Amino acid sequence: MPRERLNRNTRKGKSDDTGAAVDRRLLRSKYLTFKNRISDERDDISKVDSHKLITFIEEVDSLHQLVQNPREQVVDAEALFDITNTLVTSVKAYNSDGLTPSEFVSCILRDFGKEGGPCSYRNELRSSIRWEDIGEAVSVVFRSAPGCRTMIGPMNNELKRRKTVLRRMRAKPARNIRPEELDEKDHDKTTTDKNMATIFNILRKNRKAKLENLMLNRKSFAQTVENLFALSFLIKDGRTEISVDDSGRHLVSPKNAPSADAIQSGESVYSHFIFRYDYNDWKSMLDSVAAGEELMPHRADVNEARSNAEAEVEFDEPQVAPSSTHLRKLCRNRGLVMRELTVEEVSPESDCNKATDRAAAIRRGKRKL
Amino acid sequence: MSYPPEIASQFDIPDLEKDKLVGEVIRYILFKTEQNSGCPIRREELTQLITAKGYKQRNFPSFVIDEAKSKLSSIFGYEMRELQRSRPSAAANTGRASQSQQSVGDAKSYIIISKLPSDVYGKFVEDKSSVHLSGLTFVVIGIIHLAGGKITEENLWHHLKRLGLHENEENHPKFSNTKQALEALVQQRYLQKEKVNGPEGNIVHYELAERALDAPIYDKIKEYVAQMVQKDATPLEYD
């Protein structure tokens, strides 16, 4: 029972609150309308013979009686402030011999509006004032002097001088080094060409040779590969052929290269195969080929030959440092450190011989003064 | 051109150089007036022209500007009027004037006005393509003058609205963007704008500036406004 009574009272309270809120909202809306009217009719308020001011004061007074909450009090104060402001502005205007801006604007409309007077439509009003006539009537007031239109732009244009470029003197990083001069006879032929010629000469003598005897170099795996490389060029050119006999042995024999007609007619065509050959294969080939049956001569090492030659000279001339190429290394000390590098061959057959005699890479740093 | 000996002697600069400087100042004024659409030229700019060439003598810039003034008058028929920049009245009332007094004292600017008689000016010199701007200038200055020299932005637009000028209009047949047209009057120093912090937020006020308050212009505006309004005077009103 008490709960029902409580609910009923709550519902009634809520509806009362809602009603009060609606009334307050209505009151604020009336104040807003009132303020808009003050703004629109301000000219009438300030007129001497107008009773609008008294009407407005009475109206705001009646609204003021309904105000109970702070929010409405603020709106009421703002409305009173607007009326006061309008009055103060109009009183200030009366300093000018009683003329007001509204009267002035009315005179403008009267004198310079198009025939028929100003219309209520905005577009027509925009074009109804003859601004040019007003300007001509008062041009003597301003008398603005026309300037020069011949040149509008930078008046002190200076010719920009080209910046002189200072070239830094670049110091040469090192003394002049002449590159190594090769013998003229070796200029045209590469090592491969020489090897090809050697193989072909051997085949011319032997007519038929076993492949492994031809390519193997017992002392050097690298030279074995070089021999095979040179042989592949001969085969590619068609100057040698590899054939397989009944027992499965690979035999290499020389032949004439195919003619141009044969190549053009398609009689002679390329065919490819892969010859896989690695160190282990070389090792097993060492066993299959008897010592001394190798046909290709062992090519002496270039540096070894040079050092041998130098060793011979040694007795006659003072020791000459091995030729080296100065390498300019880019480093933090800006190339001041020069490295003299002598590169010598290091091959897999280190077990053979040369570790004690051959020098590894000699590196001496010399600081360049 | 020979200058008075007592004046020329104090600068120790050949007459030829002085002539050249005077010519440059005149040239600058003529071109700048056109380029700025009639906005006043600051004295600092003219002084800079002279000191930039290395002439640091005291009073020499004033001498050159005075010479330029007389030449503009004699050769071109232009009066070079000096305007002293005015401060907004609110700033003056709140005592901020003392802080900026020194800078305002130096804030001189110049405009050139034709010295021709009205009828000759109107017939031969006046630019017909921009005469409507003079009309707007007159109307706006008249409204603000009659409002006591100062008016709120809202109030000003209220009056202009009656003449077919709306604040947010950008396609007016004469003025295109009406707000920009009003802003041009501020640039030309006929009006000055001021923001005042009020209970309802920032309120913008428009006030007459030094160019509108310059005696010859101000007196003529008052006279024309009075004439315009008095045309409406009927015998009944005098009763």
Side-chain angles (χ1 to χ4, degrees), chain A residues 79-220:
Chain A
L80 201 57
F81 176 77
D82 284 348
I83 296 178
T84 315
N85 221 9
T86 306
L87 270 177
V88 166
T89 309
S90 64
V91 164
K92 274 188 187 171
Y94 271 101
N95 287 337
S96 316
D97 304 324
L99 298 170
T100 63
S102 308
E103 289 174 7
F104 175 61
V105 170
S106 304
C107 295
I108 296 284
L109 285 167
R110 179 201 66 209
D111 294 340
F112 297 99
K114 282 197 179 155
E115 287 176 4
C119 294
S120 59
Y121 296 106
R122 174 175 165 166
N123 286 339
E124 295 186 20
L125 188 60
R126 281 160 71 198
S127 54
S128 69
I129 306 296
R130 303 190 309 274
W131 292 99
E132 295 89 353
D133 293 347
I134 302 174
E136 281 175 13
V138 300
S139 65
V140 68
V141 175
F142 304 108
R143 289 199 205 174
S144 52
C148 285
R149 292 183 186 181
T150 51
M151 186 182 82
I152 301 291
M155 296 162 73
N156 293 323
N157 221 359
E158 286 179 6
L159 186 66
K160 280 187 187 172
R161 294 196 180 278
R162 190 174 278 193
K163 215 173 163 182
T164 50
V165 176
L166 293 171
R167 292 183 188 276
R168 279 187 301 168
M169 295 299 293
R170 288 181 183 268
K172 287 183 184 170
R175 60 188 169 86
N176 282 336
I177 304 290
R178 289 193 70 180
E180 183 184 335
E181 286 186 9
L182 301 171
D183 294 334
E184 282 191 16
K185 63 179 177 182
D186 294 333
H187 274 279
D188 297 332
K189 279 196 172 179
T190 62
T191 312
T192 306
D193 291 327
K194 285 185 226 167
N195 292 343
M196 283 167 66
T198 308
I199 291 173
F200 195 75
N201 288 334
I202 290 168
L203 287 173
R204 260 205 296 193
K205 282 181 204 164
N206 296 0
R207 285 288 152 186
K208 261 189 175 30
K210 280 166 65 174
L211 176 62
E212 47 272 24
N213 292 358
L214 185 62
M215 61 182 268
L216 180 67
N217 184 319
R218 187 168 292 279
K219 294 177 185 175
S220 168

Side-chain angles (χ1 to χ4, degrees), chain B residues 27-39:
Chain B
R27 186 172 180 267
Y28 186 87
I29 289 169
L30 291 174
F31 283 135
K32 199 76 173 172
T33 300
E34 183 65 27
Q35 191 178 8
N36 282 357
S37 309
C39 294

Side-chain angles (χ1 to χ4, degrees), chain A residues 238-253:
Chain A
R239 294 166 67 192
T240 53
E241 62 174 355
I242 300 179
S243 55
V244 181
D245 66 0
D246 298 332
S247 57
R249 293 181 305 174
H250 291 81
L251 298 170
V252 183
S253 54

Side-chain angles (χ1 to χ4, degrees), chain A residues 42 110 126 132 139 144, chain B residues 121 126 169 171 174 232:
Chain A
R42 71 182 80 186
R110 179 201 66 209
R126 281 160 71 198
E132 295 89 353
S139 65
S144 52
Chain B
Y121 178 84
E126 190 171 30
E169 182 159 13
N171 296 313
K174 296 290 175 195
D232 195 32

Side-chain angles (χ1 to χ4, degrees), chain B residues 82-87 104-109 210-211:
Chain B
E82 185 177 282
L83 304 173
Q84 185 90 19
R85 193 178 178 99
S86 56
R87 287 170 278 114
V104 167
D106 295 333
K108 289 182 185 168
S109 55
E210 63 271 13
R211 193 165 177 181

Side-chain angles (χ1 to χ4, degrees), chain B residues 150-196:
Chain B
K150 192 172 177 180
I151 195 171
T152 60
E153 187 179 26
E154 189 199 348
N155 215 354
L156 177 62
W157 282 111
H158 164 76
H159 292 298
L160 292 176
K161 213 179 285 188
R162 290 180 61 198
L163 298 169
L165 301 175
H166 298 263
E167 188 176 355
N168 297 320
E169 182 159 13
E170 291 181 5
N171 296 313
H172 193 275
K174 296 290 175 195
F175 304 109
S176 303
N177 191 320
T178 48
K179 197 154 190 178
Q180 275 183 15
L182 188 67
E183 197 58 36
L185 298 183
V186 178
Q187 299 289 328
Q188 290 168 358
R189 298 303 299 166
Y190 286 112
L191 310 177
Q192 53 187 347
K193 221 167 148 179
E194 192 204 345
K195 268 189 193 165
V196 175

Side-chain angles (χ1 to χ4, degrees), chain A residues 241-337:
Chain A
E241 62 174 355
I242 300 179
S243 55
V244 181
D245 66 0
D246 298 332
S247 57
R249 293 181 305 174
H250 291 81
L251 298 170
V252 183
S253 54
K255 71 183 201 50
N256 288 327
S259 62
D261 292 335
I263 295 170
Q264 214 164 4
S265 64
E267 194 183 321
S268 174
V269 292
Y270 281 120
S271 66
H272 303 268
F273 67 96
I274 297 173
F275 192 118
R276 188 183 176 281
Y277 191 76
D278 61 12
Y279 188 70
N280 294 328
D281 296 330
W282 178 74
K283 282 279 193 187
S284 54
M285 196 180 272
L286 288 175
D287 299 329
S288 64
V289 176
E293 281 186 10
E294 305 92 7
L295 295 171
M296 281 290 287
H298 177 73
R299 292 181 289 283
D301 185 66
V302 176
N303 289 332
E304 191 182 318
R306 204 183 294 150
S307 61
N308 288 340
E310 284 169 1
E312 287 170 9
V313 171
E314 190 170 83
F315 295 105
D316 302 328
E317 294 173 6
Q319 191 171 5
V320 177
S323 66
S324 59
T325 305
H326 294 289
L327 297 175
R328 181 163 175 259
K329 182 185 166 194
L330 293 173
C331 60
R332 259 189 264 170
N333 54 8
R334 297 182 300 277
L336 295 176
V337 174

